[in-house]
Amino acid sequence: MRVVNQAGEFAAALASCQREAQSSFGDAKVLIERYLGAPRHVEIQVFADAHGNCIWLSERDCSVQRRHQKVLEEAPAPGLDAAVRKAMDEAAVAAAKAVGYAGAGTVEFLYDPDAKAEHARGGGFYFMEMNTRLQVEHPVTEMITGLDLVEWQLRVANGETLPLAQEQVRLHGHAIEARLYAEDPMRDFMPGTGRLNLLRLPGAAEGAVAFETGSGPAAVRIDAGVTEGDVISPHYDPMIAKLIVWGEDRDAAVARLAAMLDDCHVAGPATNLELLRRLARCADFAGAGRLDTGLIARNRDSLLAPAEPPREDELALAAAAQLAREALDRVSGAGGKSPWSLADGFTPNRDAERELAFAYAAGGEHQLAKIGLRQSRDGAWLKLGGTERPFAWTGALPALRLNLGGRDFHGLAQWHGEALVLSLKGRELALEWHNPLATEEESGAQGGKLTAPMPGKVIAIHVKPGQKVAQGQALLALEAMKMEHELTAPHAGVVDELLYAVGEQVSEGAQLLTLKQE
């Protein structure tokens, strides 16, 4: 899908759409439609059998989206005018009957929240498409109806009639589903790949999948196709899990969603977990103040704000993780058998004092956090922000318990080489153990290089060797996970060499071309 605001943008947008369509579906035909800038996306779950029966099972609001793809879904749709809801339900059933449909289906509409005059007449919504299958977001419908729609599919396929008539359908409570993706919201939601080094979902031990369903105050459901240690590859959709909650009303469901997200911990590829946490507390969503497809873009400054610098409790957890790693090295001999190989700050006849340093990203730059550590036979102390506090830790990686200045807390810490991932109080934080003797490597865009931000296939090259380009000019396009990504020039210059051709696969970090600065 591409939005064209000016005639001059049409040719490039069309070509990009056609490439995606041809690659994904073997058909380059596209549709041209009127664009609604900030509608709500409301869809009706319908079910039909081969005997002419067709009913609707409530609607779902799927307005919270990025890249025109759903992030949060809920049922029923909040604040929907009763006349519009009735008209949508009837239109959805009529559409399914018109084509003799049988099975589960979803009729999707765009709803204009500003068309107040039309709402009273049951208007202000537009047919978009019908998905002739059971969709990813069907659990929220199951949660408020208490029905198993997969069972219904099997019964209909077996030639049976629908288990219920329309008047027998009962709705109870409110349900919300959040899609946990391996993607980087700070890089325009670019899909992520890599090993899930840490995956702890609520109620799931050691990364296992928890599954609980029902229509009670504690109704929680987690659908996941991966477990800790699995690899998110570039060949499939990067969804990690669906997190579904139910509440007696919408406020209860939103509160339960926020708590559930705080209890999730994921490390490895970049994920949208922090975005989901912020969405659950965003006034436009939590208060249903302005639900529409522009919600994320409109609240970009708060939803996609850079991560805050490490807190004191997080730095304490990082210090404990380093001490735990050193303890393991001493037991295994990984750090060397000689006492001279120990970097623990030991000094004869006085307390051992040392400084731990961790690098972190903030505001697009790398910063350094320094932690003072003093150890004696009587205990240990951390110096943070100029204040020294008593410090103790117990446990084994990755689960550590800490006491800092008399305050107890616990968190998860995982080492991957010199990279450290912390999970504490509903936040994941990536740090890098700082070795002052190590040299810094150049980033992909430095030195005239352009590197692949993800594994993918080169599907278009827009420049030739010797061609002058301006900063920000499109150089080539990669396709990964069903989406096309344009890579642009990091600075003005001249294209020196193209290292890949159209159709070739590239790995993440591969150099794609060289660009000489004038």
Side-chain angles (χ1 to χ4, degrees):
M1 185 181 294
R2 301 291 185 276
V3 178
V4 177
N5 294 303
Q6 300 178 24
E9 302 171 355
F10 180 79
L14 175 63
S16 180
C17 271
Q18 288 180 316
R19 283 193 299 267
E20 277 190 6
Q22 183 65 43
S23 175
S24 297
F25 310 110
D27 186 344
K29 290 191 292 293
V30 300
L31 302 175
I32 301 176
E33 301 176 320
R34 174 188 174 186
Y35 179 67
L36 298 176
R40 285 177 63 177
H41 185 147
V42 180
E43 59 189 31
I44 311 297
Q45 177 72 65
V46 296
F47 231 105
D49 60 29
H51 305 280
N53 301 305
C54 184
I55 64 174
W56 54 266
L57 299 172
S58 183
E59 77 285 342
R60 298 186 288 258
D61 190 294
C62 307
S63 299
V64 182
Q65 304 181 0
R66 91 291 184 254
R67 289 182 174 271
H68 304 290
Q69 293 180 324
K70 304 163 189 175
V71 178
L72 297 177
E73 296 99 9
E74 58 181 308
L80 195 62
D81 188 279
V84 176
R85 176 179 281 113
K86 182 175 184 295
M88 278 190 185
D89 294 337
E90 292 174 350
V93 169
K97 285 185 173 181
V99 294
Y101 189 71
T106 305
V107 182
E108 308 204 9
F109 298 100
L110 291 180
Y111 168 68
D112 186 352
D114 296 322
K116 304 295 185 184
E118 297 181 53
H119 296 168
R121 301 190 299 270
F125 65 94
Y126 307 87
F127 172 80
M128 184 166 55
E129 65 182 1
M130 179 179 182
N131 282 299
T132 53
R133 54 185 168 81
L134 200 60
Q135 289 189 271
V136 168
E137 55 272 25
H138 77 273
V140 294
T141 299
E142 294 185 326
M143 294 288 256
I144 66 169
T145 61
L147 304 175
D148 185 336
L149 300 188
V150 175
E151 178 186 346
W152 276 39
Q153 280 194 314
L154 296 173
R155 291 186 179 280
V156 168
N158 195 42
E160 299 179 27
T161 59
L162 293 180
L164 297 176
Q166 186 68 72
E167 60 272 13
Q168 295 175 297
V169 176
R170 296 289 182 268
L171 306 182
H172 180 44
H174 199 93
I176 307 174
E177 175 181 302
R179 301 188 187 192
L180 179 60
Y181 277 106
E183 63 184 16
D184 191 348
M186 304 303 292
R187 299 170 65 196
D188 196 25
F189 300 94
M190 192 170 287
T193 59
R195 184 178 184 272
L196 287 166
N197 298 313
L198 177 69
L199 179 60
R200 304 294 170 89
L201 302 176
E206 300 301 322
V209 175
F211 183 90
E212 179 185 346
T213 188
S215 294
V220 168
R221 170 170 168 172
I222 299 176
D223 292 355
V226 292
T227 58
E228 189 170 291
D230 287 348
V231 173
I232 304 295
S233 83
H235 306 298
Y236 301 96
D237 187 279
M239 188 187 296
I240 296 171
K242 299 185 296 178
L243 311 174
I244 310 104
V245 297
W246 178 92
E248 287 284 352
D249 54 31
R250 189 175 189 273
D251 288 345
V254 170
R256 184 164 290 134
L257 176 67
M260 175 190 248
L261 292 168
D262 284 348
D263 202 25
C264 290
H265 303 285
V266 188
T271 74
N272 68 339
L273 179 56
E274 182 59 27
L275 170 67
L276 294 176
R277 289 170 178 157
R278 294 178 183 182
L279 277 169
R281 293 172 171 87
C282 173
D284 270 1
F285 174 74
R290 174 72 186 188
L291 275 178
D292 58 52
T293 57
L295 186 148
I296 290 179
R298 190 170 58 254
N299 293 279
R300 184 180 183 88
D301 289 347
S302 58
L303 294 177
L304 301 180
E308 297 177 357
R311 304 184 305 252
E312 288 191 348
D313 53 359
E314 291 170 329
L315 292 176
L317 179 58
Q322 175 61 16
L323 296 177
R325 181 168 69 159
E326 292 174 359
L328 285 175
D329 287 346
R330 284 195 294 272
V331 172
S332 66
K337 303 248 183 223
S338 168
W340 305 109
S341 64
L342 299 178
D344 57 4
F346 171 78
T347 304
N349 303 317
R350 58 176 291 182
D351 292 351
E353 296 188 37
R354 59 195 287 206
E355 185 177 74
L356 308 177
F358 294 88
Y360 63 93
E365 299 180 355
H366 280 82
Q367 309 286 346
L368 202 61
K370 297 181 179 180
I371 308 167
L373 174 63
R374 179 167 66 89
Q375 294 173 287
S376 73
R377 66 180 62 191
D378 298 321
W381 292 262
L382 284 187
K383 189 173 184 179
L384 298 166
T387 303
E388 191 173 74
R389 299 181 181 87
F391 166 69
W393 66 274
T394 57
L397 291 170
L400 301 175
R401 301 193 68 88
L402 292 86
N403 182 288
L404 180 64
R407 184 167 57 92
D408 292 316
F409 58 95
H410 60 88
L412 299 173
Q414 284 204 336
W415 286 101
H416 307 285
E418 296 303 291
L420 174 63
V421 177
L422 306 178
S423 296
L424 180 67
K425 295 180 180 177
R427 186 167 93 132
E428 276 64 51
L429 179 66
L431 301 174
E432 190 83 18
W433 170 248
H434 180 67
N435 181 351
L437 301 180
T439 60
E440 293 187 3
E441 295 183 354
E442 291 184 336
S443 65
Q446 293 177 331
K449 299 177 181 179
L450 183 75
T451 58
M454 74 196 84
K457 182 173 70 173
V458 178
I459 59 172
I461 297 176
H462 308 309
V463 293
K464 298 178 181 179
Q467 180 177 336
K468 290 184 179 182
V469 297
Q471 182 177 359
Q473 181 175 337
L475 302 179
L476 52 81
L478 287 182
E479 183 185 66
M481 296 182 179
K482 304 186 292 183
M483 291 189 293
E484 186 175 305
H485 307 273
E486 290 281 356
L487 303 186
T488 60
H491 56 74
V494 177
V495 177
D496 184 46
E497 184 180 9
L498 297 173
L499 302 177
Y500 287 89
V502 172
E504 289 189 290
Q505 292 284 340
V506 298
S507 58
E508 182 176 357
Q511 183 178 348
L512 303 172
L513 57 79
T514 54
L515 185 64
K516 287 184 177 179
Q517 282 187 307
E518 288 190 290

